[in-house]
Amino acid sequence: MDQKIYITDAERQKCRKVANAFAELENEAVDLVVADTGRFGFVRLTYFNELYGFGKSSCYTDSKELFDALWNDWLNEQLFKIALNDPALMDLEYEDIYRSLTAEKRRELMGKRSFFAEKAGITDA
């Protein structure tokens, strides 16, 4: 029986580097875990509930796609924290919260994307 490979060794190493770059997300209040599932790729588990476990899972075999997903998780967490400190923002969508920020704050957040990209070895972020 032929063994099927779902993720290349090279891409698996790239995905591991991306997961490591965002490892701080697993240590924050975000209900997020990124698991290496061997030849199947990497699984992003989100929305943890004590009773039912994780509410959503997504599988990645491409490091750029994993980077984009984790970047969105990180950015949304930052926007949520900002909204917690400003009741006027609590009912807004993440995009609207972002648009309400000063240009300087938006640059600061987007600069973090470059930081994560460099840490993850992603060159076209």
Side-chain angles (χ1 to χ4, degrees):
M1 175 178 230
D2 291 332
Q3 181 180 5
K4 293 184 179 180
I5 302 294
Y6 298 100
I7 186 172
T8 65
D9 289 339
E11 197 59 31
R12 186 167 177 224
Q13 288 175 348
K14 290 178 187 177
C15 284
R16 167 55 46 211
K17 202 169 178 182
V18 169
N20 288 341
F22 285 96
E24 73 182 51
L25 280 174
E26 294 182 24
N27 297 323
E28 291 183 2
V30 178
D31 292 335
L32 170 83
V33 173
V34 178
D36 181 346
T37 59
R39 68 187 179 112
F40 299 105
F42 283 72
V43 175
R44 184 175 131 259
L45 303 165
T46 54
Y47 307 117
F48 184 75
N49 176 298
E50 288 285 332
L51 207 53
Y52 301 107
F54 287 96
K56 185 177 176 185
S57 65
S58 304
C59 187
Y60 298 88
T61 57
D62 179 89
S63 57
K64 178 68 168 91
E65 289 177 11
L66 178 60
F67 178 87
D68 289 341
L70 293 176
W71 163 251
N72 283 328
D73 290 336
W74 183 88
L75 181 59
N76 289 343
E77 176 66 14
Q78 302 315 302
L79 295 172
F80 179 75
K81 287 177 183 178
I82 290 167
L84 281 177
N85 294 320
D86 186 344
L89 300 176
M90 281 305 293
D91 291 332
L92 298 179
E93 299 290 327
Y94 289 126
E95 295 83 12
D96 296 326
I97 295 170
Y98 181 80
R99 281 192 287 273
S100 76
L101 300 175
T102 64
E104 181 181 332
K105 185 63 175 175
R106 287 194 303 263
R107 275 192 303 276
E108 178 187 325
L109 289 172
M110 296 316 287
K112 195 71 168 171
R113 181 177 173 88
S114 297
F115 167 80
F116 282 123
E118 183 177 324
K119 194 172 175 182
I122 299 292
T123 56
D124 58 345

